[in-house]
């Protein structure tokens, strides 16, 4: 009996390229909110991600639950994305970004200039400050950083950040850690259509179906933390999110059928039995 092999050449994808660096995985994960380091390591491995974000302040200050975080992961296998979480002003974020670059160097990534830029003065809803984010981004780009800014799903701001030299734009799907899913689909779609840098949907994704939805829209990548870290089985959820990211990307590349208001028979109407 002949075995039918899949046409793998039609399933190949181009890598995700950020600031000239290539990644095969389009899922980024975080290091916060895990119950312990073992769950964190297992989940990151299960997800297949290659980029992992780390809150600079928590590592620098040895915040509870983060002692030894820098050494808990194998940075020969993972690319560190230092983030400026906890910064409320542009000036603060710039200082923390510089610390993050030094932290990456100390952990063996001498050429790592990546920073996830977060400027969040709002403690209740954790919504990013568009003005502070733009100000910080302009300065950090001048200092040679590859800036990945976390923003509201604002198409005009996304384009402005791209114009000042940001390596990506990272619109939120819904508030951080809320698990509400993609609540800003229309604006995210506009950002995707107009961007010439990778668009990373960050924050709010709670389930693999929502991860797939974001990728089906044409997002280049996702950043998911809470939905994995706080799941009852984080490693299993990490694997599910990795698979959903891949499935959503493949669906986008495959091209979905148009939505129709009426039914359309899948079997031919000619040659039917009378």
């Amino acid at each position: 009996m002949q075995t039918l092999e899949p046409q793998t050449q039609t399933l190949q994808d181009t890598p995700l390229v950020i600031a000239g660096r290539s990644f095969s995985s389009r899922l980024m994960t975080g290091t916060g909110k895990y119950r312990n380091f073992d769950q964190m390591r297992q989940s990151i491995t299960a997800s297949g991600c290659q980029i992992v974000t780390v809150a600079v302040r928590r590592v620098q200050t040895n915040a509870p639950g983060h002692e030894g975080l820098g050494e808990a992961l194998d940075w020969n296998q993972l690319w560190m994305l230092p983030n400026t979480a906890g910064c409320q002003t542009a000036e603060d974020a710039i200082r923390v970004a510089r610390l993050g670059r030094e932290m990456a160097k100390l952990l063996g990534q001498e050429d790592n200039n990546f920073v996830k830029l977060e400027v969040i003065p709002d403690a209740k809803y954790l919504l990013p400050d568009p003005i502070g984010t733009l100000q910080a981004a302009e300065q950090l780009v001048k200092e040679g950083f590859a800036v990945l800014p976390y923003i509201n799903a604002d198409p005009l701001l996304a384009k402005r950040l791209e114009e000042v030299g940001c390596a990506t734009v990272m619109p939120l799907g819904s508030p951080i850690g809320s698990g509400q899913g993609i609540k800003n689909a229309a604006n995210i779609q506009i950002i995707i259509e107009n961007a010439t840098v990778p668009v990373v949907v960050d924050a709010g994704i709670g389930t693999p179906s929502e991860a797939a939805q974001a990728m089906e829209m044409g997002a280049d990548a996702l950043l998911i933390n809470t939905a994995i870290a706080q799941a009852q089985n984080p490693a299993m959820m990490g694997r599910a999110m990795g698979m959903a990211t891949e499935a959503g990307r493949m669906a986008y590349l495959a091209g979905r059928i148009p939505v129709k208001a009426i039914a359309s028979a899948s079997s031919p109407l000619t040659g039917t039995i009378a």
Side-chain angles (χ1 to χ4, degrees):
M1 181 177 177
Q2 184 180 6
T3 301
L4 297 178
E5 296 294 337
Q7 297 298 312
T8 55
Q9 67 272 18
T10 65
L11 303 180
Q12 293 177 351
D13 189 9
T14 55
L16 171 67
V17 180
I18 300 175
R21 192 173 186 90
S22 297
F23 303 92
S24 58
S25 173
R26 291 176 178 271
L27 173 63
M28 308 176 189
T29 62
T31 52
K33 298 187 177 180
Y34 283 97
R35 299 173 184 91
N36 53 62
F37 282 168
D38 284 341
Q39 284 193 353
M40 179 186 69
R41 283 188 287 262
Q42 292 166 8
S43 302
I44 289 172
T45 300
S47 74
C49 76
Q50 294 171 297
I51 300 176
V52 178
T53 186
V54 176
V56 177
R57 276 186 158 176
R58 291 174 184 149
V59 176
Q60 290 283 331
T61 60
N62 282 322
H66 287 76
E67 304 94 332
L69 176 59
E71 296 74 30
L73 294 171
D74 183 356
W75 299 113
N76 292 315
Q77 301 297 320
L78 299 168
W79 188 248
M80 179 183 289
L81 177 56
N83 74 57
T84 63
C87 294
Q88 299 184 0
T89 66
E91 294 77 11
D92 203 7
I94 292 166
R95 285 195 297 270
V96 171
R98 293 167 181 159
L99 289 173
R101 181 157 60 182
E102 295 307 310
M103 180 177 73
K105 288 180 180 179
L106 289 172
L107 292 171
Q109 296 187 0
E110 291 284 338
D111 58 341
N112 190 339
N113 290 318
F114 279 42
V115 61
K116 183 192 174 193
L117 175 59
E118 299 183 20
V119 181
I120 303 177
D122 166 33
K124 182 175 181 180
Y125 298 104
L126 300 177
L127 296 174
D129 173 7
I131 298 171
T133 300
L134 180 58
Q135 291 172 340
E138 289 176 323
Q139 180 60 34
L140 291 171
V141 168
K142 289 177 183 177
E143 296 183 17
F145 283 89
V147 181
L148 289 73
Y150 171 63
I151 61 172
N152 286 297
D154 180 341
L156 297 178
L157 175 60
K159 181 52 67 175
R160 184 74 182 105
L161 287 163
E162 181 183 326
E163 290 170 351
V164 302
C166 288
T168 70
V169 288
M170 304 182 72
L172 59 85
S174 54
I176 295 173
S178 69
Q180 294 178 23
I182 309 300
K183 296 298 186 183
N184 305 304
N187 278 14
I188 291 174
Q189 192 73 68
I190 295 171
I191 292 171
I192 291 169
E193 289 173 3
N194 288 286
T196 59
V197 296
V199 177
V200 184
V201 175
D202 177 16
I205 290 174
T207 64
S209 60
E210 293 161 357
Q213 177 193 356
M215 295 303 292
E216 287 168 8
M217 291 168 58
D220 295 282
L222 308 174
L223 199 160
I224 304 173
N225 186 180
T226 304
I228 297 173
Q230 291 291 291
Q232 293 183 28
N233 186 327
M236 186 178 291
M237 186 61 78
R239 179 64 181 134
M241 290 297 189
M243 294 171 69
T245 303
E246 292 181 19
R249 174 66 178 176
M250 289 176 64
Y252 169 72
L253 294 175
R256 64 153 294 146
I257 63 170
V259 177
K260 299 179 180 179
I262 60 174
S264 177
S266 56
S267 298
L269 298 179
T270 58
T272 56
I273 298 173

